[in-house]
Amino acid sequence: MKLQSSYIKHLQKSIMQEFILGSGVMHSIMKTVNQVAKYDVNVLITGESGTGKELLAKIIHLQSPRSENPFVPVNSGVLSGLMFEDKLFGHEKGAFTGAIRQEKGCFEMADKGTLFLDEVSELPLKNQVDFLRFLEDFCFQRIGGNDLIEVDIRIISATNKDLKDEVKKKLFREDLFYRLHAVPIYIPPLRDRKSVIPKMVDHFLNQCAVNFKKPKPTIKPAVIELFLRYDWPGNIRELKNLLERIFILNDDDVIGLAQLPSDFAWHFKEPHCIKDLEEIRKNAEKKAILDVLYRLAGNKEKAAKTLNISPRTLRHKIQKYNIKVERSLKPFKKV
Ligand SMILES: Nc1ncnc2c1ncn2[C@@H]1O[C@H](COP(=O)(O)OP(=O)(O)OP(=O)(O)O)[C@@H](O)[C@H]1O
Ligand SMILES: [Mg+2]
């Protein structure tokens, strides 16, 4: 289904407003995006989970001459074998049990548009062969069909794994890797571009205010400081989800440290209860000696053997830790 060009313009504008650049590296990524969008080259986007790979793929599609046609995402990770073939190629009525009518696959749905192959590293080897064959001439048959169908699609793939490494491990076909990887784009994790955090926080709070129809709260500098100290393993998705949670669960007009959920604040707890390493080692040693002496009814020779130390060292430690051997013999009181 073709979209109207005024609607495309609206989508282009809103997705660009949604996508925060902030850092130099993101500006240079955007430059590459603007250059490749015009051409029908395959793009491989890599980056950790939550860094914005799908959002970037949509931007490439919307900036491309294909923008009026569909953007079809496929998650390669959840499909294998026949299910994958069915999802991509579609099927004819009666092709297999349960095929009650003809169904188009993603290749046909994405015709003249873009196919977004997400988590491409998870594509099973057998399906990689099917896919490669399809890429030869963009022709395929629906399952149970005889007609050869030709489509015109652009492929953008994404992965959070190092695909080259997967090739080395023989989990990903090298020929397919080179076909998909014509233009690689790497999105760095949020921890490597933390300077964008204040801007993103502001952006997501604005979004929350619109989506949840509540006034936007102000955020205290101490919270931003904490956000800058945190490493965000879930990247932008984690930041966005956290802010949504804070926004929904608080009616205060200020977000301070008190408004942070306890599971997040926990990352910054002062380690009061953690003693220094020497103390931890001493406590563990004392506990182990007491334990062994108790089990061996106070036999120091056997205890030294069990602990793999000389009787002299054991005597020294018993003295050092002020261990009362007789007391260690008493069974623990049952309460
Ligand atoms: N630069 C950005 N500016 C604003 N929002 C962003 C940006 N990058 C990502 N997001 C938002 O973060 C969330 C995660 O983005 P997206 O789904 O594109 O990540 P992903 O890399 O595909 O993650 P995954 O590997 O887990 O599938 C989305 O809600 C997206 O809108
Ligand atoms: Mg994704």
Side-chain angles (χ1 to χ4, degrees), residues 54 116 118 237:
E54 180 152 359
F116 176 56
D118 203 4
R237 182 180 293 113

Side-chain angles (χ1 to χ4, degrees), residues 20-23 190 193-201 228:
I20 303 296
L21 297 170
S23 60
L190 186 54
R193 46 186 168 118
K194 282 186 178 176
S195 60
V196 74
I197 287 177
K199 199 169 173 188
M200 277 196 176
V201 169
L228 291 169

Side-chain angles (χ1 to χ4, degrees), residues 36 39-43 154-156 182-183:
V36 296
Y39 305 104
D40 263 347
V41 284
N42 293 340
V43 177
R154 191 237 191 112
I155 295 169
I156 303 181
V183 178

Side-chain angles (χ1 to χ4, degrees), residues 138-316:
F138 288 87
C139 284
F140 67 97
Q141 286 168 318
R142 294 191 196 114
I143 302 173
N146 297 318
D147 296 341
L148 212 54
I149 302 166
E150 193 177 351
V151 287
D152 164 24
I153 55 181
R154 191 237 191 112
I155 295 169
I156 303 181
S157 336
T159 176
N160 51 25
K161 287 198 179 155
D162 180 349
L163 213 51
K164 233 181 191 160
D165 208 40
E166 298 295 291
V167 170
K168 267 190 219 144
K169 288 190 216 154
K170 304 247 178 287
L171 294 171
F172 203 85
R173 289 183 64 107
E174 193 172 12
D175 39 12
L176 183 56
F177 168 73
Y178 285 112
R179 290 299 295 267
L180 299 177
H181 166 274
V183 178
I185 296 180
Y186 169 68
I187 312 184
L190 186 54
R191 66 179 169 280
D192 290 349
R193 46 186 168 118
K194 282 186 178 176
S195 60
V196 74
I197 287 177
K199 199 169 173 188
M200 277 196 176
V201 169
D202 191 56
H203 168 73
F204 289 136
L205 287 178
N206 279 329
Q207 252 185 14
C208 285
V210 173
N211 294 345
F212 304 114
K213 299 183 178 58
K214 252 170 63 167
K216 180 185 165 197
T218 45
I219 192 145
K220 288 207 167 157
V223 174
I224 298 288
E225 249 173 61
L226 225 57
F227 283 2
L228 291 169
R229 270 170 57 196
Y230 184 58
D231 269 348
W232 303 101
N235 292 293
I236 299 161
R237 182 180 293 113
E238 188 182 1
L239 175 64
K240 187 175 176 178
N241 289 350
L242 178 75
L243 287 166
E244 273 184 10
R245 193 144 61 105
I246 298 172
F247 190 92
I248 292 167
L249 298 178
N250 285 290
D251 286 325
D252 308 312
D253 48 12
V254 171
I255 299 176
L257 294 179
Q259 278 73 28
L260 295 179
S262 55
D263 57 327
F264 182 77
W266 180 85
H267 296 294
F268 305 93
K269 275 237 171 329
E270 288 303 329
H272 292 306
C273 46
I274 299 177
K275 299 166 185 117
D276 69 65
L277 208 56
E278 180 59 14
E279 206 175 334
I280 294 171
R281 203 171 60 80
K282 277 186 195 162
N283 285 341
E285 234 178 44
K286 187 174 172 182
K287 188 177 170 299
I289 294 169
L290 268 165
D291 199 32
V292 171
L293 282 171
Y294 175 77
R295 280 159 206 265
L296 298 174
N299 186 326
K300 288 185 206 156
E301 208 154 312
K302 276 189 185 169
K305 237 185 199 155
T306 308
L307 292 164
N308 203 17
I309 52 176
S310 69
R312 191 164 164 263
T313 309
L314 181 63
R315 271 198 306 279
H316 170 72

